[in-house]
Amino acid sequence: MIYHLLFPLHTTISVFNVFRYITFRTIYAGITSLLICFILGPWFIRKLTEMQIGQYIRKLGPESHHKKAGTPTMGGTLILFSLTTSTLLWADLTNSFVWIILFITVGFGIIGFIDDYLMQVRKRNKGLTATGKFILQCLLALVAGFMVWSCNGFSTEVTIPFFKNLSPDFGRGYIIFAALIIVATSNAVNLTDGLDGLAIGPIIITAATYMLLAYVAGHVKLADYLQINYVPGCGEIVVFCGALAGAGLGFLWFNAYPAQVFMGDVGSLSIGAAIGAVAVITKQEILLILVGGIFVIEAFSVIFQVSYFKITGGKRIFKMAPLHHHFELKGWAEPKVIVRFWIIAIMLALISLSTLKLR
Ligand code: 57M
């Protein structure tokens, strides 16, 4: 809205020309969402505490988690509020990608909210059923996949990192492929969100990485130079990524160990879906496996653990899945697990960016 209100005035006030630039708006989108979290955070956490919206802890979990019972949860509502407000303020609202990304983020946020809300009402760690949640996620992701697919000139070819000449065209199947990416990312982030700051750290890193990727993909000359898919209009996704990184940093302020608030499913499902949708829109879908490698590792640790457990009739690969619990049970202090996972996430992001030159 700031863009729409102030940019047209540049003919009389020349300094307002600055609102044209994606870089300028991205920086302020980040600062805006960060400030919203900072300003509203303490009040919001107080309200959650007053309303007794506290975390229910599984009995089976690591001993160290039992002391976390009652920590205010559903802090993801604050992330969602600051992210959408900042995007609406700074992005070009005539761009369809902006509305698609907001649709998917808020849509998954609503599924998460219902799940969290049911847990509060039932007063235990049981919200929506796994199948119910999965069906809702798939339906929403398919709608989003269809919306992206029907955008004028959107390519259904998929770029494979390291292989510049290999880009299979999925045609209509791209809708299902896009939905799969969104649902998988949303659930992987949800699984990762099990230690203070563990999910939001890599989310910030992934958002910052896609900020660069979206900028390149939306810039005709840079995309051509780096031989990546040019996606007209996807530059506005940079502003969204800036707002997401800012909201993430703002939330981390309160979620850092020892956490004053957890994001809940309203946070993890929505920002996970948002990251998946960003990868789809920027046409860097496969690269997300590397950029968001921490989420992939966490999800696969669960898949392997559960499969092995079933096949062997009760044996385990890890002490406990998702992987962060394994290290906790090995005796690593919680902050050590968190910071080490962040370090790996930074390394993976850097390797991902290097692939821009390796095509
Ligand atoms: C939800 N939720 C956290 C918080 C957060 C299939 C199975 C592997 C599924 C998995 C699962 O349900 N994962 C998804 C993970 C929970 O956090 C809440 O949930 C939101 C995210 N959805 O925002 O509201 C707990 O995580 C801790 N936490 C923090 N700091 C944070 O900033 O410490 C969260 C955020 C919180 C808090 O303790 O209560 C969760 O872990 O429940 N299930 C599991 O992860 C379980 N693993 C398991 O059963 N493994 C078995 C299987 C695979 C064979 C095994 O390995 O043997 C573990 N979950 C827990 N304890 N809590 C079991 C142990």
Side-chain angles (χ1 to χ4, degrees), residues 160-273:
I160 316 282
F162 304 112
F163 297 95
K164 70 175 172 201
N165 294 322
L166 186 67
S167 38
D169 193 339
F170 284 18
R172 280 189 190 175
Y174 190 86
I175 298 174
I176 297 172
F177 173 72
L180 189 84
I181 301 268
I182 293 168
V183 174
T185 317
S186 173
N187 287 316
V189 172
N190 187 32
L191 286 173
T192 308
D193 189 29
L195 296 180
D196 301 350
L198 186 69
I200 202 68
I203 283 286
I204 297 164
I205 295 160
T206 308
T209 309
Y210 270 95
M211 210 148 65
L212 293 173
L213 293 169
Y215 189 80
V216 172
H219 194 291
V220 69
K221 284 188 185 146
L222 282 176
D224 181 52
Y225 171 66
L226 292 167
Q227 298 187 328
I228 67 164
N229 257 314
Y230 167 56
V231 187
C234 101
E236 288 303 314
I237 292 297
V238 184
V239 181
F240 177 84
C241 289
L244 179 54
L249 281 172
F251 179 72
L252 180 59
W253 187 268
F254 304 103
N255 184 232
Y257 180 86
Q260 294 161 265
V261 66
F262 297 155
M263 67 172 84
D265 280 14
V266 58
S268 59
L269 292 184
S270 59
I271 54 178

Side-chain angles (χ1 to χ4, degrees), residues 55-62 64-66 68-69 71-74 115-116 119 125 133 187 189-199 251 255 259 261-269 301-303 305-306 309 316 318-322 324-325 328 334:
Q55 185 67 46
Y56 296 94
I57 308 281
R58 288 167 212 252
K59 290 196 178 66
L60 288 168
S64 58
H65 282 250
H66 294 169
K68 293 177 184 238
T71 305
T73 185
M74 296 180 81
D115 196 27
D116 288 334
M119 276 187 226
N125 201 341
K133 197 153 67 172
N187 287 316
V189 172
N190 187 32
L191 286 173
T192 308
D193 189 29
L195 296 180
D196 301 350
L198 186 69
F251 179 72
N255 184 232
V261 66
F262 297 155
M263 67 172 84
D265 280 14
V266 58
S268 59
L269 292 184
S301 74
V302 171
I303 294 169
Q305 178 91 330
V306 175
F309 191 87
R316 290 181 162 83
F318 306 107
K319 287 181 185 292
M320 189 184 277
H324 52 261
H325 288 316
E328 272 193 297
E334 184 172 343

